[in-house]
């Protein structure tokens, strides 16, 4: 019986299907421009597969919402530091357990039902009415609307350019490359659009559907029609199409957007974390600060105790 897990590099691409949570942000073979490896952790009869990407002196683990233990994180991090000498930190996003220097955040996901009727049943009667009313008012203001979906490779370049323009206007986001490069680097596989009969884009969703778990990469809408909830209208259409495609799980990232709380979504606490190499970095980044906090707390308790005795 193994007392600790054994980690090795797996060179068989067929094992990518064994990655615990198979979706685009855990699959560096599908999106990354950087060197990556598939690591296999084994202890007794249990195996765990995880991809790691390397960029300069950092290693990034693909464990986004992947069930994992602190033991596996420890063993994998030690293997990386031991075998990749230039790596100084191992980092992860949206991990399910805290390890190293970790900060909590939230994350939403939707377990999709088998039918669109079951999806609609997750909304209140008032919410369903408001959405139908918003669509009716939108069509009165902009004319009849069409819903269109494209494989990312076939999406009109000007449409993605308009998406980037709207994102810059609403969030100050600027992507210094072509629309095609944006889709490629963000792993977008499908594009969903709501537009007027004249071809004006009202809202757009970029989706990553290459893996077992679907990821809503981003969405935006024309702010001129904000009052009609064009993003929410397209979002419902998007969920209906995913159900038709027999997809069963959608990741939405975190934040506090109201649409992410609808349709029976589940909000979870997850972690951004960094594991440091060597005692000095761990002391400077983690233990020194913890020691200072404890020292101040002890000093404060002693001060209170001495004051009471006077």
């Amino acid at each position: 019986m193994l007392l600790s897990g054994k980690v090795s590099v797996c060179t068989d691409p067929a094992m990518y299907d064994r990655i615990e949570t198979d979706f685009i942000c855990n699959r560096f073979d599908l999106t990354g421009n950087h060197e990556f490896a598939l690591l296999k952790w084994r202890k007794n009869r249990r195996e765990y597969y995880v991809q790691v990407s390397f960029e300069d002196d950092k290693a990034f683990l693909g464990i986004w919402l992947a069930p994992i233990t602190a033991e596996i994180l420890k063993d994998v991090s030690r293997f990386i530091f031991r075998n990749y000498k230039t790596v100084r930190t191992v980092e992860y996003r949206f991990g399910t357990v805290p390890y190293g220097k970790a900060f909590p955040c939230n994350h939403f996901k939707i377990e999709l039902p088998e039918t669109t009727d079951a999806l609609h049943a997750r909304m209140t009667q008032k919410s369903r009415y408001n959405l139908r009313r918003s669509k009716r008012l939108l069509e009165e203001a902009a004319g009849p609307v069409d819903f269109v979906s494209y494989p990312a490779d076939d999406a009109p370049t000007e449409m993605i350019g308009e998406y980037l323009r709207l994102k810059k206007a609403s969030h100050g986001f600027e992507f210094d490359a072509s629309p095609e490069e944006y889709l490629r680097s963000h792993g977008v596989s499908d594009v969903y659009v709501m537009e007027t009969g004249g071809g004006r884009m009202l809202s757009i969703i970029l989706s990553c559907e290459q893996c077992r778990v679907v990821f809503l990469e981003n969405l935006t809408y024309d702010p001129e029609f904000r009052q009609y909830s064009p993003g929410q209208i397209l979002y419902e259409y998007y969920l209906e199409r995913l159900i038709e495609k027999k997809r069963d799980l959608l990741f939405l990232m975190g934040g506090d957007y109201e649409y992410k709380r609808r349709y029976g979504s589940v909000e979870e606490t997850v972690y951004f974390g960094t594991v440091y190499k060597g005692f000095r970095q761990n002391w400077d980044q983690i233990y020194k600060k913890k020691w200072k906090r404890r020292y101040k707390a002890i000093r404060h308790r002693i001060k209170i105790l001495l004051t009471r005795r006077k």
Side-chain angles (χ1 to χ4, degrees), residues 232-245:
Q232 181 61 42
I233 295 170
L234 179 61
Y235 180 58
E236 182 176 69
Y237 170 84
Y238 169 64
L239 296 180
E240 292 171 348
R241 299 293 78 73
L242 292 182
I243 291 171
E244 288 181 357
K245 293 179 179 182

Side-chain angles (χ1 to χ4, degrees), residues 199-261:
R200 179 171 181 175
M201 188 178 78
L202 301 174
S203 53
I204 182 171
I205 287 176
L206 307 183
S207 181
C208 306
E209 303 175 19
Q210 309 90 323
C211 305
R212 292 192 299 272
V213 178
V214 178
F215 179 48
L216 196 163
E217 196 279 324
N218 222 318
L219 64 82
T220 195
Y221 55 85
D222 188 331
E224 183 177 334
F225 298 93
R226 180 193 305 270
Q227 68 192 87
Y228 306 114
S229 305
Q232 181 61 42
I233 295 170
L234 179 61
Y235 180 58
E236 182 176 69
Y237 170 84
Y238 169 64
L239 296 180
E240 292 171 348
R241 299 293 78 73
L242 292 182
I243 291 171
E244 288 181 357
K245 293 179 179 182
K246 306 299 183 183
R247 310 309 291 266
D248 55 15
L249 187 59
L250 171 68
F251 285 178
L252 298 169
M253 292 186 66
D256 196 32
Y257 291 105
E258 180 59 30
Y259 80 89
K260 295 186 179 184
R261 301 183 182 277

Side-chain angles (χ1 to χ4, degrees), residues 146-150 156 159 191-195 203 205 234 237:
D146 296 318
F147 297 94
V148 187
S149 61
Y150 303 89
M159 182 179 291
V191 178
Y192 299 80
V193 180
M194 181 173 67
E195 60 186 13
S203 53
I205 287 176
L234 179 61
Y237 170 84

